[in-house]
Amino acid sequence: MKVKLSVRVYRRFLLGLVVTCVVAAIPGLLSVLFLYRAGELTTYRDIAERQQETGEIYGSAVNGSNDLYKLELIRVRRPDVVVLGSSRVQQIREEFFNSNFVNAGASFRDMDSGERFVEEMYRIHTPKLVVIGVDFWWFNPLYQDETLAQGRDAGGLTRDKILLPLEWFVTGELPIGAFARTIFGSGGDNEYTNQGNLGMRALQSSAGFRPDGSFQYAQRFFGLVTGIDPKFAETLARITGGDLIFEEGAQINRSRWERFRATVEFILAQGSEVILYTPPLAPPVLAAMSDGSRQYAYIEELQRELSALGVPYYDFLSPNQTTSQVCEYTDGIHPGDVASQRIVLEIAQRTVLGEYLNEELVREKLDEYEGHAHIVFDHSLFPVQELDFLKLGCAK
Amino acid sequence: MLRRLGGADLRLVWILAASLFFYGWWNPWNLFLLVGSIGFNYGAGLVLAGRVPAISARLGQPVLLTIGVVANLALLGFFKYANFFVDSVGTIFGASIPFGEVVLPLAISFFTLQQIAFLIDVYRGRVANYSFLHYGVFVSFFPQLIAGPIVHHHEVIPQFSKGERGVPLSNISIGLTIFAVGLFKKVILADTASTFATPVFDAALAGADPTLVEAWGGMLAYTLQIYFDFSGYSDMAIGLARMFGIRLPLNFNAPYQSASIIEFWGRWHITLSRFLREYLYIPLGGNRNGNLRRYGNLMAVMLIGGLWHGAGVTFVIWGGLHGLYLIVNHTWRNVAGALGRRRRNPVPSRALALHPALARAITFLAVAFAWVAFRAEDLGSAGAIYRGLFGFNGISLPSQADFLEPLTRLVPIAFDGLGAFGSVGGERKGVIVIAILLVVVAFAPPTHRWLARTRPVLGRISDPSRIQWRPSLRWAIVTGLIASIAVYGMFSGVDEFIYFQF
């Protein structure tokens, strides 16, 4: 009799334990459900495919590997023209091109990541033309390449992602309304645009990658995130503060240069044409770098080497080369849509890029959006006006 | 269920298979090592016990025991110390000796000690006839295989045959509770402490000189980390074993509440202390040949204990420090005893005894001081932290502490923050976390005392906690919450158990 009672007691204890664990697991399950409903658990391939059908913006807050995502876009879109480079080339848009195009910006962040991406891209597809935006700091002797050994996030559900929505919820980054709307509602929309959205960042403000891989800084343009680089103050502080990308240097890092040259030769050997350019900096930033207080002799050496490489090269770093206005930048180092399209037009007029570009549309939009950072193609998608987000007094 | 279907042996076969699978998960090749070691020692035990008269009569028991122990030590020595030995010889002779990197197989230090003890006990005639299955499970039993507790054959093997009487649900309930507490200790407490300890030791390794508070923060954080890490693991092992109806010996008994180093070694890694005492200290002569010999034995045992943890000068220093502490502690006792016993003007023992709180604090600080050498990866970084502890690297405080600025007239103090301490988790959080955890280790009863009524470990628990765990709904909720918090904590990553490397 005593034993039977004991069994009952322990059975009740275990039941209580299980029920407690199940109840405690509910926030975790909701968190996973949120990630699922927000599209954060979708694989890169599925995202790339889905974007082509729906035109959604993909802005993840948990998946960190732009490279793998861009490779999937290349696999899906089989582009004639690919733009490579860092985040500074990401405003070149497919709407201006007559043929298939992928903006693989943010995949060539330095020589380590660039070499790897090019090699992986040619395993998937051979584009006809590759345009590379070259950042000068890749060749700064003090600049550190990223550690590739750290591995890449292949997307999907991993242990460290599961609780992120709960963390956002606790820190106030994710309002309860948005949390509930994403889980239980139709999801996908926000007050800034009428675009479809995939991923937490995109759901918030439609900030993220368009179906061509180009990036949309909607969180800044339309006011969700304010106070980033006002009057380029943050970028200017990076110059004087010795930020790694603005380190001084007398000579380029030879071994990285040789690797870059080998990468260009590899692309040519695959049968693609190559165009190189150095993306611009906002005019005040360029002026601060050129005021003589800091020594950037290595950039001039880089420009000479690029000119002598035997492929078309266009330098938009020199002050007299850029015709962009300060209001056309996203911040001190990222040219906006208009500034980027000015570059594309200039290159197209003198190279094979012209064969792929709808120059008439580019000119039309440049006229229409002069002094803006963001170009709109479909007004029904953007009910909100671009703001003077850099606090420069720009009329938008 | 297997026991019901096919008896105790089938259950043991399943446990053995599960244990080998568990061990092989890390590196299947190491299974050959474990199984080979089990086979060799079981065979050696049979020969030592006279079950193979042809061999035992020819060689004699002392020779057989020597062969068995030396073979075990040689295996351990090769895997654990070959790299260290080759590097040291190379350094001494200034030459690079071509020698591949020997990777330490998981758990080798633990299963080797258990089997050496087994062979010695067979030699002493203290071992009953065990089947190979029982012996195999005794060595490989997965809950305690990787990092202990180091069990005696006579503690667990009899339990295999008898099985656990009573209701299996009780074992599952008790085991789950102990396991949950252990998981919580590891994931929430140890890994949190680690976020404040690791940056300081890493910075010192990279050449930084930790300032006073930074060094103290790093030292205290590691002192807490290693306790919660290892005692958490031991709880998990005890809990898991209990779910299979096996009681393991106690391995931790609130060691940071010790009032002396002698007491500390009776409460910290109890099963290792027991092994060192029974199979090293006492055979060396123990305290039988005068104080000088006793101190020599103590130092030898602690140095070997240090080397057992790892091949490195820092482990030797750690062992040496504890040897020194023990010598000082025994000398103090002897002097106090002599003063109390003298005929003229005997000193009352109370007058010589330190206040318990002071004794605990001194013991804790001595232990923490030694952990610096244990944790540091080389002498240079250990030296940098030790210098920091004494203020030789200067004093820097967080800018929020600028109200202490008047003190700068007496001592140079910078207000540049705490350096690496808190660089990951935040300085303020670091100070708060360490303060809370210090209170926990100083006053909270350990797991087994909360569960004293359930006899969670082998042996009697003399000092049960006033609040006792019961299989009630309230405790189910508490246990469930502890387990859930620990599981949530695992999602942000878990450090490897410290004792896995030994």
Side-chain angles (χ1 to χ4, degrees):
Chain A
M1 190 63 200
K2 194 177 174 185
V3 172
K4 278 186 180 173
L5 183 72
S6 202
V7 169
R8 210 165 48 226
V9 166
Y10 282 110
R11 193 170 286 153
R12 204 177 60 173
F13 171 84
L14 286 172
L15 190 67
L17 181 66
V18 170
V19 169
T20 307
C21 289
V22 169
V23 171
I26 288 172
L29 293 173
L30 284 175
S31 192
V32 174
L33 188 61
F34 173 85
L35 289 173
Y36 173 74
R37 296 277 297 155
E40 293 284 16
L41 303 184
T42 315
T43 62
Y44 292 129
R45 180 170 295 191
D46 288 346
I47 290 163
E49 285 174 357
R50 182 169 154 176
Q51 278 189 292
Q52 309 317 309
E53 291 167 17
T54 62
E56 289 166 310
I57 304 296
Y58 172 55
S60 175
V62 302
N63 294 328
S65 181
N66 294 330
D67 313 24
L68 296 175
Y69 163 67
K70 298 283 169 102
L71 286 170
E72 291 301 337
L73 281 178
I74 288 169
R75 192 193 305 276
V76 171
R77 291 174 69 97
R78 321 294 296 175
D80 292 331
V81 182
V82 169
V83 172
L84 298 178
S86 68
S87 57
R88 300 202 315 128
V89 305
Q90 290 195 120
Q91 311 306 305
I92 300 174
R93 312 263 185 220
E94 67 170 323
E95 284 84 348
F96 296 109
F97 285 82
N98 296 319
S99 60
N100 259 350
F101 165 86
V102 164
N103 187 320
S107 54
F108 201 136
R109 300 173 295 280
D110 51 28
M111 281 317 303
D112 278 359
S113 57
E115 278 174 342
R116 182 175 64 180
F117 188 84
V118 167
E119 195 188 318
E120 290 175 337
M121 177 177 80
Y122 279 101
R123 273 191 232 140
I124 297 170
H125 174 69
T126 302
K128 291 177 183 162
L129 173 63
V130 174
V131 180
I132 306 177
V134 181
D135 286 333
F136 54 89
W137 57 78
W138 299 347
F139 305 95
N140 185 314
L142 294 174
Y143 190 70
Q144 300 288 320
D145 281 14
E146 66 183 57
T147 310
L148 294 184
Q150 284 172 352
R152 290 181 288 188
D153 177 4
L157 185 63
T158 56
R159 196 178 59 181
D160 53 334
K161 292 176 191 169
I162 290 175
L163 295 186
L164 280 175
L166 287 185
E167 276 180 40
W168 300 328
F169 189 62
V170 170
T171 56
E173 222 178 322
L174 179 63
I176 188 163
F179 189 77
R181 215 170 36 246
T182 304
I183 291 178
F184 303 109
S186 56
D189 51 349
N190 57 60
E191 60 197 277
Y192 302 102
T193 77
N194 294 326
Q195 292 167 301
N197 300 293
L198 260 174
M200 159 83 175
R201 295 274 176 251
L203 285 169
Q204 280 183 314
S205 65
S206 297
F209 295 110
R210 291 182 177 181
D212 63 344
S214 66
F215 196 82
Q216 179 170 291
Y217 285 95
Q219 80 279 27
R220 295 190 199 177
F221 297 158
F222 306 124
L224 175 72
V225 177
T226 55
I228 291 188
D229 213 7
K231 296 181 179 168
F232 307 116
E234 287 170 9
T235 309
L236 293 169
R238 288 173 77 181
I239 298 174
T240 50
D243 186 281
L244 219 49
I245 68 169
F246 291 115
E247 279 284 1
E248 294 172 281
Q251 291 176 316
I252 58 171
N253 179 314
R254 269 289 137 194
S255 106
R256 286 202 199 127
W257 169 252
E258 290 306 325
R259 287 167 65 191
F260 181 76
R261 185 158 67 177
T263 303
V264 171
E265 283 167 5
F266 173 79
I267 295 171
L268 292 169
Q270 306 304 309
S272 303
E273 294 191 75
V274 176
I275 296 171
L276 306 176
Y277 77 100
T278 36
L281 296 164
V285 175
L286 197 57
M289 285 179 69
S290 316
D291 68 2
S293 62
R294 294 175 69 80
Q295 300 305 317
Y296 294 106
Y298 86 94
I299 298 178
E300 288 157 30
E301 186 190 354
L302 172 67
Q303 288 163 329
R304 284 196 300 276
E305 291 286 5
L306 287 167
S307 302
L309 201 57
V311 296
Y313 164 61
Y314 296 93
D315 172 28
F316 295 96
L317 261 185
S318 305
N320 57 350
Q321 287 279 359
T322 176
T323 53
S324 300
Q325 303 176 5
V326 288
C327 297
E328 294 172 359
Y329 280 79
T330 303
D331 55 40
I333 61 171
H334 293 97
D337 291 18
V338 176
S340 296
Q341 267 39 252
R342 286 189 197 285
I343 291 166
V344 170
L345 185 62
E346 204 163 323
I347 296 173
Q349 285 167 344
R350 289 183 253 168
T351 66
V352 67
L353 183 63
E355 293 174 19
Y356 302 95
L357 199 71
N358 183 345
E359 292 186 24
E360 198 180 322
L361 182 65
V362 177
R363 285 201 183 86
E364 183 190 314
K365 290 294 178 187
L366 288 181
D367 287 344
E368 189 181 347
Y369 286 95
E370 184 178 0
H372 286 70
H374 181 230
I375 294 176
V376 175
F377 294 93
D378 181 348
H379 288 278
S380 68
L381 294 177
F382 296 95
V384 180
Q385 279 288 319
E386 180 184 326
L387 304 172
D388 178 25
F389 55 91
L390 290 172
K391 313 289 180 205
L392 292 164
C394 301
K396 300 271 184 171
Chain B
M1 193 172 79
L2 280 168
R3 206 171 77 198
R4 279 185 196 159
L5 288 174
D9 278 357
L10 194 56
R11 184 184 64 133
L12 289 181
V13 169
W14 186 83
I15 292 175
L16 181 64
S19 298
L20 295 178
F21 177 79
F22 172 75
Y23 187 72
W25 185 264
W26 275 269
N27 183 350
W29 292 106
N30 286 348
L31 269 177
F32 290 105
L33 188 75
L34 176 65
V35 173
S37 174
I38 290 172
F40 170 80
N41 283 292
Y42 184 71
L46 289 180
V47 175
L48 262 174
R51 303 276 292 277
V52 191
I55 302 176
S56 38
R58 206 164 111 198
L59 293 176
Q61 278 202 319
V63 174
L64 284 168
L65 176 67
T66 308
I67 291 171
V69 172
V70 167
N72 277 293
L73 290 178
L75 188 76
L76 181 64
F78 173 74
F79 283 107
K80 200 153 184 169
Y81 306 106
N83 293 330
F84 177 63
F85 179 75
V86 171
D87 291 348
S88 302
V89 170
T91 308
I92 291 166
F93 293 103
S96 170
I97 301 169
F99 186 76
E101 183 79 8
V102 178
V103 179
L104 183 71
L106 208 60
I108 190 170
S109 304
F110 288 89
F111 68 69
T112 304
L113 286 198
Q114 279 192 193
Q115 297 191 99
I116 288 175
F118 171 77
L119 291 183
I120 294 172
D121 283 358
V122 175
Y123 174 79
R124 290 171 175 172
R126 293 180 189 166
V127 174
N129 287 334
Y130 299 135
S131 71
F132 182 71
L133 179 62
H134 283 186
Y135 183 77
V137 176
F138 153 65
V139 177
S140 67
F141 188 44
F142 72 92
Q144 47 83 220
L145 169 67
I146 306 296
I150 300 165
V151 293
H152 262 306
H153 52 92
H154 63 71
E155 289 173 328
V156 291
I157 293 182
Q159 295 186 57
F160 296 157
S161 336
K162 280 194 268 178
E164 177 68 17
R165 280 183 198 160
V167 190
L169 282 184
S170 68
N171 283 337
I172 291 169
S173 305
I174 296 161
L176 272 175
T177 303
I178 301 172
F179 186 88
V181 173
L183 189 67
F184 183 88
K185 278 184 183 176
K186 163 63 189 160
V187 176
I188 304 298
L189 305 184
D191 287 0
T192 303
S194 151
T195 59
F196 303 104
T198 305
V200 177
F201 283 88
D202 285 352
L205 185 65
D209 290 317
T211 55
L212 183 84
V213 182
E214 183 186 359
W216 275 87
M219 179 186 77
L220 292 175
Y222 184 69
T223 301
L224 295 162
Q225 181 197 347
I226 193 168
Y227 168 67
F228 286 115
D229 187 286
F230 197 18
S231 78
Y233 177 84
S234 293
D235 282 352
M236 289 165 72
I238 290 167
L240 208 52
R242 182 59 179 262
M243 288 186 229
F244 288 90
I246 304 293
R247 280 196 180 88
L248 294 180
L250 183 63
N251 215 21
F252 285 88
N253 185 13
Y256 292 157
Q257 294 173 19
S258 306
S260 72
I261 287 293
I262 296 170
E263 188 184 345
F264 172 80
W265 279 104
R267 289 164 168 255
W268 175 275
H269 204 172
I270 295 166
T271 56
L272 175 68
S273 308
R274 185 180 63 177
F275 177 89
L276 293 174
R277 187 176 62 246
E278 288 179 17
Y279 298 99
L280 200 58
Y281 178 67
I282 292 172
L284 280 171
N287 57 4
R288 295 192 297 275
N289 300 308
N291 279 338
L292 212 57
R293 182 71 189 273
R294 176 195 212 176
Y295 297 156
N297 291 340
L298 281 171
M299 184 56 89
V301 167
M302 294 318 292
L303 289 174
I304 291 170
L307 268 178
W308 175 82
H309 283 89
V313 184
T314 51
F315 290 111
V316 175
I317 292 173
W318 174 78
L321 277 171
H322 273 280
L324 188 67
Y325 295 160
L326 284 170
I327 291 169
V328 170
N329 199 167
H330 280 286
T331 307
W332 174 264
R333 276 191 181 181
N334 290 341
V335 170
L339 288 173
R341 285 193 304 272
R342 69 183 178 184
R343 288 186 185 167
R344 291 180 63 190
N345 300 326
V347 183
S349 58
R350 199 188 301 167
L352 288 167
L354 291 175
H355 186 280
L358 183 62
R360 281 185 180 194
I362 291 172
T363 305
F364 176 79
L365 289 176
V367 170
F369 187 78
W371 284 133
V372 172
F374 188 90
R375 168 62 178 81
E377 287 182 38
D378 60 21
L379 274 180
S381 55
I385 294 176
Y386 280 132
R387 284 194 300 277
L389 290 174
F390 291 104
F392 291 120
N393 299 331
I395 305 171
S396 177
L397 295 173
S399 55
Q400 296 94 321
D402 58 0
F403 59 88
L404 295 172
E405 203 156 359
L407 287 177
T408 53
R409 286 181 214 147
L410 303 169
V411 190
I413 301 174
F415 292 92
D416 299 332
L418 298 182
F421 177 81
S423 59
V424 176
E427 291 177 351
R428 182 182 289 193
K429 187 182 163 195
V431 172
I432 294 169
V433 163
I434 287 176
I436 292 171
L437 294 184
L438 282 174
V439 171
V440 171
V441 296
F443 300 107
T447 318
H448 66 277
R449 286 194 214 158
W450 296 93
L451 286 105
R453 277 189 199 158
T454 67
R455 294 177 53 230
V457 287
L458 287 169
R460 197 175 142 266
I461 296 165
S462 56
D463 47 358
S465 159
R466 265 189 301 171
I467 301 170
Q468 281 296 303
W469 177 92
R470 280 177 304 173
S472 64
L473 203 56
R474 193 178 298 174
W475 279 101
I477 292 168
V478 171
T479 309
L481 287 175
I482 287 172
S484 301
I485 292 168
V487 171
Y488 273 119
M490 288 169 70
F491 290 132
S492 49
V494 183
D495 294 342
E496 193 177 71
F497 285 106
I498 292 173
Y499 265 68
F500 273 21
Q501 63 186 291
F502 306 135

